[in-house]
Amino acid sequence: MALLKSYLTPDFLIERNKDRCIQCRVCVQQCANEVHYYDDEDGEVYSDEMKCVNCQRCVTLCPTRALVIRSSPNELRKNANWTPEVIRSIYIQAETGGVLLTGMGNDRPYPVYWDHMLLNASQVTNPSIDPLREPMECKTFLGRKPASLVFENGRLKEKIPPQLELDIPVMFSAMSFGSISLNAIKSLARAARQEGTYFNTGEGGLHKELYPYGENCIVQVASGRFGVHSEYLEAGSAVEIKIGQGAKPGIGGHLPGEKVGKEISETRMIPEGTDALSPAPHHDIYSIEDLRQLIFSLKEATGYQKPVGVKIAAVHNVAAIASGIARAGADYIAIDGYRGGTGAAPLRIRDNVGIPVEFALAAVDTRLRNEGIRNEVSLVVAGSIRSSSDVVKAVALGADAVYIASAALLALGCHMCQKCYTGKCNWGIATQDPHLTKRLNPDLGAQRAANLLRGWKHEIQEMLGGMGINALESLRGNRLMLRGIGLTEKELEILGIKAAGE
Amino acid sequence: MKKVYAREEYCTGCGLCQVHCITAHSPYKDNIVKAYKKTFPRPLPRVIVEEQRPVSFALQCRHCEDAPCVKACITGAMQRDPATGVVNNDESRCVGCWTCILVCPHGAVARDERGKKAASKCDMCSGIHEVPACVAGCPNGALEYRGEREKEA
């Protein structure tokens, strides 16, 4: 069939300042999408805007700041219902007949509830604390805690179950080797070690070069069971069963065969060049009882020495599900909200499935408390934690810690162009192309990711101090420290917080 | 002595080292646009980016201890600075016989035929910058300025 003429027009306009451009061709060398090209005859660099994804690699590296990329000024006739995105989607599907794919998190203008919550600060009666002069404890432990402390002969009677010790309540979320490059994972692994926290293997197994970072690693067991063997389970500090992902609840993973090179094939334990399909359901889990079996199989496999967690996407009945997971013996539950990122997701799923993690967290924490089992499980929230204030608000709402992924990738250089699924990440992050992966030097990446954590830690300490609290543990679930702004009665009720002014 | 070492595994082949090298050796050391647009003839880059994807690295003079170019130079233009160890070409004495190019085992000397014929090679930015411009301008830490025995970062 002959190709139809495309009705698509460029998304972006590339402006090249001729007075500044020195024809050095750095932009030509750096664009994996081959937007820029040098014309020998004219001795000038030109750009093909049709191919531009606005990753800003050329803009950032241009030594004379000669490039500006803007949204294309071409406008379709104004229509509040048939927006340019909707029309564009239809053109793409009319040309391809395929499912619309996208990368990174939900970018629809749904309310961000973190931004509708304000933190309290101490004033006269209960003085604030200066974190520069007073110790400010940011340490936290993930894992089942005893219901009460019983002492015998002056010693704690109950044996404390295995715990994860975090110097900062922020961990790097699950991103598999395959979805991101080995250099990206190395960067996160080193940063996690440096700052006393954890990174997560995702469903891709643990590359042999990362075994030395096992102490700072949470190993994931997903439906595909990629790379899962006893050594792998032993290598990590905790094991996480992945049921769902915030960006695409109810949808499985798929790493195309062309990305499965030698290293990924060895790590995932699948033949080179084959698609790595992890189905949405685990085919041995159809009930909470089945999940319990897997949890205890993994505990048995690791000699009851490591916490076993379960990661789910935030969906409508998340509180009941979490209660079941807690009762199934999980040591922590990770709840991933609808803004969570991904390397590739069907666009309509990403943008329309799931619920805000703020509500999910509040609902789960409330339910577990009402059932008297909150101590049996730690809560980790994920899905677009953007800043230290989001972390503090999450902890006040009831989280023990948070997972960050998009923020971590941004620290490594990601520019959110949402084209991860093409495998042409110009920043060397979401790609396996050796020409592109070398763009991320893990020495620099680790430094940037660690700097981010350190910056957040300082800010968390400042905010705690401002509230007159000297330990993160004292803020957990302390919803009186939060006030809602611009929220309905019902939203305030679900979040379990008062309105500003109350 | 301190030298520039290429970390091939992190070289992105962007060529910014060449841009910064040209700028550093032009009359406009802090202005890339003027260095390119107002300098005639424009200096050649003294660092050469070799690329055959995915392999790429930036090559420059190794300032060999027993430098063949110094030995081979017929006019004595090619000299090692006894204080710093940097091998430099005195362009006023260079006659463009290209013997240095013939003997250089690294291919790190280039023919600059645009002005007076003179061999163009890395001078480690001696007297220009403390850290060579290519190293300072590399966006990915792919060039390191360090002593021979200093461990790679």
Side-chain angles (χ1 to χ4, degrees):
Chain A
M1 193 178 74
L3 269 180
L4 290 171
K5 184 184 183 309
S6 177
Y7 296 160
L8 292 164
T9 50
D11 274 344
F12 305 104
L13 178 73
I14 300 171
E15 291 177 344
R16 182 181 298 275
N17 184 332
K18 295 258 177 200
D19 292 337
R20 283 170 163 256
C21 179
I22 55 170
Q23 318 297 336
C24 67
R25 290 176 257 179
V26 169
C27 52
V28 179
Q29 299 278 2
Q30 291 296 290
C31 184
N33 299 304
E34 297 174 333
V35 169
H36 307 287
Y37 58 95
Y38 182 72
D39 188 305
D40 263 329
E41 197 180 335
D42 297 355
E44 276 197 57
V45 178
Y46 297 107
S47 310
D48 177 0
E49 288 160 340
M50 230 18 230
K51 297 175 181 167
C52 178
V53 301
N54 197 6
C55 73
Q56 305 265 331
R57 178 81 183 179
C58 57
V59 175
T60 315
L61 262 68
C62 175
T64 59
R65 299 267 171 260
L67 291 168
V68 175
I69 299 178
R70 293 195 289 125
S71 289
S72 170
N74 289 328
E75 282 187 33
L76 293 162
R77 193 186 174 91
K78 285 253 181 299
N79 190 319
N81 185 34
W82 294 92
T83 59
E85 292 82 28
V86 171
I87 295 174
R88 205 181 148 72
S89 297
I90 288 178
Y91 287 155
I92 294 173
Q93 288 192 301
E95 283 170 23
T96 63
V99 172
L100 293 170
L101 267 187
T102 187
M104 299 311 286
N106 186 338
D107 59 9
R108 304 280 84 204
Y110 297 116
V112 180
Y113 287 93
W114 302 124
D115 294 342
H116 287 272
M117 285 183 262
L118 296 171
L119 292 166
N120 190 29
S122 299
Q123 293 300 293
V124 181
T125 51
N126 173 27
S128 47
I129 303 168
D130 182 352
L132 295 175
R133 290 174 177 78
E134 307 281 341
M136 190 64 66
E137 190 58 70
C138 269
K139 207 178 258 298
T140 193
F141 293 87
L142 300 185
R144 193 174 72 81
K145 310 290 188 296
S148 62
L149 296 180
V150 182
F151 293 93
E152 203 176 59
N153 303 327
R155 287 180 163 269
L156 196 60
K157 192 178 170 193
E158 188 178 354
K159 195 169 166 287
I160 300 285
Q163 306 280 323
L164 281 183
E165 185 181 337
L166 280 67
D167 289 342
I168 169 176
V170 182
M171 303 186 289
F172 295 126
S173 194
M175 288 175 278
S176 70
F177 175 39
S179 76
I180 60 173
S181 66
L182 187 57
N183 281 347
I185 305 177
K186 275 185 195 167
S187 303
L188 299 179
R190 287 189 204 169
R193 167 146 304 174
Q194 205 175 314
E195 298 305 315
T197 184
Y198 298 84
F199 73 103
N200 189 311
T201 62
E203 60 176 337
L206 186 65
H207 189 273
K208 52 185 182 301
E209 284 184 30
L210 294 165
Y211 274 78
Y213 295 94
E215 268 174 43
N216 294 88
C217 174
I218 297 175
V219 294
Q220 210 179 54
V221 175
S223 65
R225 304 287 197 267
F226 297 122
V228 178
H229 48 85
S230 58
E231 231 176 293
Y232 168 78
L233 296 175
E234 276 303 320
S237 284
V239 184
E240 181 174 286
I241 300 167
K242 180 206 168 186
I243 302 289
Q245 183 182 347
K248 40 181 175 177
I251 300 287
H254 178 184
L255 186 71
E258 58 261 32
K259 290 189 193 170
V260 182
K262 186 167 173 287
E263 303 273 302
I264 291 180
S265 128
E266 278 172 13
T267 309
R268 292 206 177 201
M269 306 195 310
I270 53 171
E272 248 179 89
T274 55
D275 287 22
L277 286 159
S278 51
H282 287 244
H283 289 310
D284 51 359
I285 301 178
Y286 288 91
S287 66
I288 286 293
E289 290 77 13
D290 290 347
L291 177 65
R292 184 180 175 82
Q293 278 204 353
L294 181 58
I295 291 173
F296 277 88
S297 301
L298 292 170
K299 287 190 176 187
E300 190 71 40
T302 50
Y304 295 85
Q305 299 296 310
K306 299 173 198 293
V308 174
V310 176
K311 177 179 173 179
I312 51 166
V315 287
H316 298 352
N317 50 342
V318 66
I321 297 164
S323 168
I325 294 172
R327 290 168 197 283
D331 296 281
Y332 74 88
I333 304 173
I335 311 167
D336 197 10
Y338 75 148
R339 283 187 191 276
T342 174
L347 177 83
R348 302 300 172 206
I349 302 283
R350 185 197 73 174
D351 289 356
N352 296 285
V353 183
I355 63 168
V357 77
E358 300 90 324
F359 286 147
L361 168 62
V364 169
D365 182 64
T366 304
R367 171 99 178 220
L368 295 180
R369 284 209 232 180
N370 290 345
E371 292 184 1
I373 54 169
R374 177 66 183 83
N375 64 294
E376 289 184 13
V377 72
S378 292
L379 294 179
V380 180
V381 295
S384 189
I385 299 290
R386 304 156 303 165
S387 64
S388 58
S389 58
D390 287 357
V391 179
V392 171
K393 288 170 187 176
V395 172
L397 264 190
D400 290 81
V402 306
Y403 264 140
I404 60 167
S406 299
L409 296 189
L410 288 168
L412 300 186
C414 165
H415 276 59
M416 284 260 170
C417 70
Q418 304 184 326
K419 296 285 178 188
C420 324
Y421 61 93
T422 64
K424 288 186 185 171
C425 176
N426 262 322
W427 294 88
I429 300 168
T431 176
Q432 302 303 325
D433 178 343
H435 172 62
L436 300 174
T437 54
K438 67 200 299 217
R439 293 181 179 186
L440 179 57
N441 177 343
D443 298 340
L444 306 182
Q447 213 173 358
R448 295 180 65 93
N451 280 347
L452 179 78
L453 291 182
R454 220 167 31 254
W456 284 21
K457 189 173 181 179
H458 286 311
E459 290 175 344
I460 290 169
Q461 290 174 333
E462 286 284 352
M463 280 182 266
L464 286 176
M467 289 185 235
I469 292 174
N470 65 2
L472 190 84
E473 300 277 354
S474 308
L475 179 69
R476 177 146 319 111
N478 190 348
R479 296 191 198 174
L480 284 171
M481 285 296 158
L482 295 171
R483 288 291 184 275
I485 184 162
L487 297 176
T488 63
E489 280 289 336
K490 189 69 190 172
E491 286 168 331
L492 289 168
E493 182 195 321
I494 295 168
L495 291 169
I497 60 173
K498 292 180 174 176
E502 266 191 276
Chain B
M1 68 178 284
K2 274 187 162 184
K3 287 185 190 175
V4 178
Y5 291 91
R7 299 178 80 189
E8 170 261 314
E9 68 273 33
Y10 302 128
C11 171
T12 71
C14 67
L16 278 171
C17 48
Q18 296 177 318
V19 172
H20 291 291
C21 179
I22 288 172
T23 307
H25 293 89
S26 80
Y28 302 98
K29 307 209 179 312
D30 300 314
N31 190 321
I32 298 172
V33 178
K34 280 189 174 177
Y36 267 72
K37 298 203 167 184
K38 292 199 165 178
T39 312
F40 304 103
R42 195 193 297 159
L44 288 182
R46 292 150 187 237
V47 49
I48 302 146
V49 177
E50 298 280 3
E51 179 163 32
Q52 188 171 9
R53 288 185 180 185
V55 179
S56 60
F57 58 88
L59 172 85
Q60 64 289 91
C61 170
R62 305 318 302 149
H63 300 276
C64 311
E65 266 176 36
D66 192 17
C69 57
V70 172
K71 280 189 184 170
C73 182
I74 58 168
T75 65
M78 200 67 86
Q79 282 295 333
R80 171 190 292 281
D81 183 322
T84 61
V86 171
V87 174
N88 225 330
N89 185 40
D90 179 351
E91 292 187 10
S92 64
R93 292 169 74 177
C94 176
V95 294
C97 71
W98 313 134
T99 314
C100 50
I101 293 175
L102 278 170
V103 298
C104 175
H106 303 287
V109 189
R111 292 195 291 185
D112 190 352
E113 295 180 288
R114 287 175 298 182
K116 174 188 174 302
K117 284 185 180 182
S120 163
K121 70 174 288 299
C122 166
D123 57 357
M124 215 87 103
C125 288
S126 312
I128 305 172
H129 296 297
E130 206 161 302
V131 174
C134 55
V135 176
C138 177
N140 202 33
L143 289 173
E144 276 185 351
Y145 184 51
R146 59 176 167 83
E148 204 172 350
R149 286 185 185 81
E150 281 173 50
K151 206 174 158 284
E152 283 186 40

